[in-house]
Amino acid sequence: MAKSSGENGPRAPAAGGSLSGTRESLAQGPDAAAADELSSLGSDSEANGFAERRIDKFGFIVGSQGAEGALEEVPLEVLRQRESKWLDMLNNWDKWMAKKHKKIRLRCQKGIPPSLRGRAWQYLSGGKVKLQQNPGKFDELDMSPGDPKWLDVIERDLHRQFPFHEMFVSRGGHGQQDLFRVLKAYTLYRPEEGYCQAQAPIAAVLLMHMPAEQAFWCLVQICEKYLPGYYSEKLEAIQLDGEILFSLLQKVSPVAHKHLSRQKIDPLLYMTEWFMCAFARTLPWSSVLRVWDMFFCEGVKIIFRVGLVLLKHALGSPEKVKACQGQYETIERLRSLSPKIMQEAFLVQEVVELPVTERQIEREHLIQLRRWQETRGELQCRSPPRLHGAKAILDAEPAPRPALQPSPSIRLPPDAPFPSSKAKPKPPKQVQKEQRKRTKASGQLDKTPAPNQAMVVAAAGDTCPPQAMSPKDLAPQDPAPQDPAPQDLAPQDSAHHHSQESLTSQESEDTYL
């Protein structure tokens, strides 16, 4: 990936060939001509005649390169449970990050609910905090004219970003306008860095999930905290990480490492676009979103793990190596990866189980940095230290920081009734405790029924008569809970009991059926 410049070419060529992921290699592809044709048809998808075309749940035109076939659907009930738990976390974010960060990580690995993904990314990345610390900053940058040397380069790149997505399908549409605003604002926010072409797909993915201002601050966090130095002029950080990836590959897959060494293939030839675009231009879209969920929570180690998993399964066996006798065949194998190894469930499971830690990455970073200094001298780009994930970013913030205030995902008119307004308000905890004490004293607290007891409490609070029960229904593996029977609980007490369960650390919380 080259740092974009007015000359449209790479500034730092890789050893043995040009960098993979330069402006030319990113722009040109099997659908480049079709993308240009589509993007020049009008101002939005309806005007362009795409209203009749089906759009998948991610916003891609069905049948295009970005669209996917059959996907693993999460049951609606499970999805609602996840949404409820994520809403609870987001509304009490500082407490969860301080005391239950491990549970946040587990839930990110299971996938953030689509309806809350954009909001969760803002909280995980610290973009929400940056926005609160800099009110009006984006509007100020947005109103500024911008540096002419970057504006033309950015504008030429707009139609190349996900041209088959409904947001970016039309030249001059609202998606391309917001993308231009975000990228222009970053060149003004960090004029010493300017614009790098790999930032465009990153910003485009963010814009698919949040407004332009929030996307801008998330982009700032990615460039400064998650991947510092990646988009600098000399690409030194990405070159260092290429050496780190290659060294870690020796431990993860010696067969793939030996083959790449024998072929003398520079890591930059296959990992530049992977890392600089965070796999947004490589994986199926469902896999991209799952990888980004984990990346925002755990940091760059997720990017390393994904790269190692792809290399391991593409070149990690003697049979696969035999089919790649030369450099060309090997590079083609890595550019056209098997759909099986990129499939969402398989890839996420492999990434979660791969034992590559932040400590290993930092240790290898020091080794490669020392070798760099011995052979090439000091780094010219002095980027800030890399922070590994949401917890490290939050801990690095200055101590006097206002607590994050939840912002509603759905805004209603002032006179509109809230959907849950019919429910009675929850009583104070003291009142609830007194109610339970009175219930126990009056003997209304049910004991755990014996296995042969012919009474079962239904989920809705009704009781089933003995004659309605079969021997299978009276099996001992389903004892009734020891809490008060649902019919003995007030509606508000039952709601409080449910919310208390969502805050516990039970294993059932981490296993979403």
Side-chain angles (χ1 to χ4, degrees):
M1 181 72 56
K3 179 77 172 176
S4 292
S5 66
E7 282 141 13
N8 225 8
R11 293 181 179 174
S18 61
L19 288 178
S20 172
T22 61
R23 173 183 299 277
E24 292 77 14
S25 65
L26 280 179
Q28 303 303 324
D31 296 316
D36 287 345
E37 182 180 352
L38 281 174
S39 63
S40 62
L41 289 176
S43 60
D44 53 42
S45 59
E46 288 79 9
N48 288 340
F50 291 111
E52 299 179 358
R53 298 198 181 190
R54 290 186 298 122
I55 304 295
D56 70 8
K57 68 177 184 178
F58 301 120
F60 290 94
I61 300 170
V62 174
S64 66
Q65 187 179 21
E68 298 187 38
L71 297 172
E72 295 184 2
E73 295 291 341
V74 178
L76 184 60
E77 182 181 353
V78 176
L79 186 61
R80 292 292 173 261
Q81 292 177 5
R82 295 185 182 183
E83 287 176 342
S84 176
K85 293 172 183 178
W86 270 96
L87 281 171
D88 183 32
M89 290 196 305
L90 293 172
N91 291 332
N92 302 277
W93 186 252
D94 290 329
K95 294 180 181 178
W96 278 83
M97 285 295 292
K99 298 180 180 180
K100 298 183 179 181
H101 175 256
K102 181 179 179 181
K103 186 173 291 294
I104 294 177
R105 186 179 75 241
L106 292 173
R107 289 179 178 173
C108 287
Q109 292 173 355
K110 289 175 170 61
I112 300 173
S115 60
L116 299 171
R117 179 167 274 126
R119 187 174 164 193
W121 285 359
Q122 294 174 52
Y123 278 63
L124 288 164
S125 67
K128 177 76 171 178
V129 175
K130 294 288 285 186
L131 189 151
Q132 291 183 352
Q133 292 173 344
N134 299 272
K137 182 65 174 178
F138 176 75
D139 293 333
E140 174 189 335
L141 298 171
D142 192 27
M143 296 299 294
S144 301
D147 190 334
K149 77 174 182 180
W150 297 123
L151 298 184
D152 180 61
V153 180
I154 293 173
E155 194 164 359
R156 290 203 304 267
D157 280 347
L158 294 179
H159 72 282
R160 296 167 178 163
Q161 312 311 321
F162 306 106
F164 295 106
H165 191 276
E166 60 178 349
M167 275 189 67
F168 307 103
V169 73
S170 55
R171 188 183 295 275
H174 69 92
Q176 290 193 13
Q177 291 178 20
D178 283 348
L179 183 58
F180 180 82
R181 294 168 60 206
V182 170
L183 296 173
K184 185 199 79 171
Y186 189 83
T187 64
L188 295 170
Y189 185 74
R190 286 287 179 262
E192 68 279 5
E193 286 191 15
Y195 166 68
C196 178
Q197 190 186 17
Q199 291 170 319
I202 296 287
V205 176
L206 295 172
L207 284 169
M208 295 177 194
H209 296 86
M210 63 191 76
E213 183 176 19
Q214 286 82 348
F216 167 75
W217 289 114
C218 285
L219 176 65
V220 169
Q221 291 296 92
I222 291 174
C223 296
E224 294 185 353
K225 305 294 176 62
Y226 288 88
L227 307 173
Y230 267 38
Y231 311 104
S232 62
E233 181 177 351
K234 299 298 182 182
L235 300 178
E236 292 173 327
I238 196 69
Q239 293 181 62
L240 273 176
D241 278 0
E243 298 301 326
I244 294 171
L245 176 72
F246 192 60
S247 179
L248 293 173
L249 181 64
Q250 188 172 13
K251 304 177 180 66
V252 173
S253 178
V255 174
H257 181 272
K258 183 178 180 181
H259 177 74
L260 292 171
S261 299
R262 187 187 303 116
Q263 298 291 339
K264 295 182 173 58
I265 298 177
D266 193 294
L268 291 176
L269 294 175
Y270 53 83
M271 57 80 62
T272 305
E273 185 175 279
W274 290 359
F275 277 50
M276 294 186 75
C277 299
F279 293 97
R281 303 180 67 102
T282 304
L283 301 175
W285 200 249
S286 59
S287 301
V288 170
L289 298 179
R290 294 291 300 278
V291 167
W292 278 48
D293 289 346
M294 296 185 290
F295 167 65
F296 275 118
C297 183
E298 302 181 57
V300 76
K301 78 174 180 184
I302 296 299
I303 304 298
F304 277 99
R305 287 183 182 183
V306 175
L308 291 168
V309 168
L310 297 181
L311 290 169
K312 173 184 175 182
H313 289 280
L315 300 170
S317 68
E319 295 77 16
K320 295 173 181 176
V321 166
K322 286 180 181 178
C324 305
Q325 295 297 324
Q327 284 189 356
Y328 176 80
E329 292 81 4
T330 303
I331 293 296
E332 282 302 306
R333 169 65 63 88
L334 296 178
R335 285 179 177 171
S336 55
L337 294 163
S338 168
K340 178 184 176 182
I341 66 177
M342 297 189 291
Q343 192 267 337
E344 175 188 349
F346 175 83
L347 180 65
V348 170
Q349 187 68 24
E350 290 286 316
V351 168
V352 170
E353 294 178 353
L354 193 67
V356 174
T357 64
E358 296 97 334
R359 182 173 297 181
Q360 289 176 289
I361 293 173
E362 288 305 316
R363 184 189 304 120
E364 198 61 44
H365 176 81
L366 294 176
I367 295 173
Q368 298 301 331
L369 180 60
R370 187 163 53 249
R371 292 178 180 173
W372 179 290
Q373 292 170 342
E374 292 173 354
T375 58
R376 311 188 196 184
E378 293 294 330
L379 295 174
Q380 297 185 22
C381 176
R382 295 292 182 178
S383 56
R386 178 158 50 198
L387 299 179
H388 290 274
K391 181 66 173 173
I393 291 173
L394 182 65
D395 293 343
E397 287 292 334
R401 178 179 66 81
L404 284 175
Q405 298 298 325
S407 55
S409 301
I410 302 176
R411 300 184 185 275
L412 299 176
D415 56 342
F418 194 71
S420 60
S421 59
K422 295 181 180 179
K424 297 181 180 180
K426 296 181 182 179
K429 292 184 179 179
Q430 294 82 356
V431 177
Q432 295 173 359
K433 291 181 180 178
E434 291 177 3
Q435 288 177 350
R436 288 199 178 104
K437 288 181 181 179
R438 286 197 298 269
T439 304
K440 290 180 181 178
S442 61
Q444 295 180 2
L445 183 64
D446 295 336
K447 296 182 180 180
T448 304
N452 60 351
Q453 184 177 352
M455 184 69 72
V456 173
V457 180
D462 299 327
T463 54
C464 302
Q467 60 270 23
M469 302 303 299
S470 64
K472 182 179 179 181
D473 293 327
L474 297 175
Q477 63 266 27
D478 292 320
Q482 296 186 7
D483 292 327
Q487 63 267 29
D488 294 333
L489 288 174
Q492 59 267 28
D493 193 42
S494 176
H496 172 73
H497 182 70
H498 176 71
S499 64
Q500 285 294 100
E501 283 191 9
S502 69
L503 291 172
T504 59
S505 299
Q506 300 173 359
E507 281 300 318
S508 60
E509 294 263 328
D510 297 328
T511 306
Y512 295 121
L513 303 180

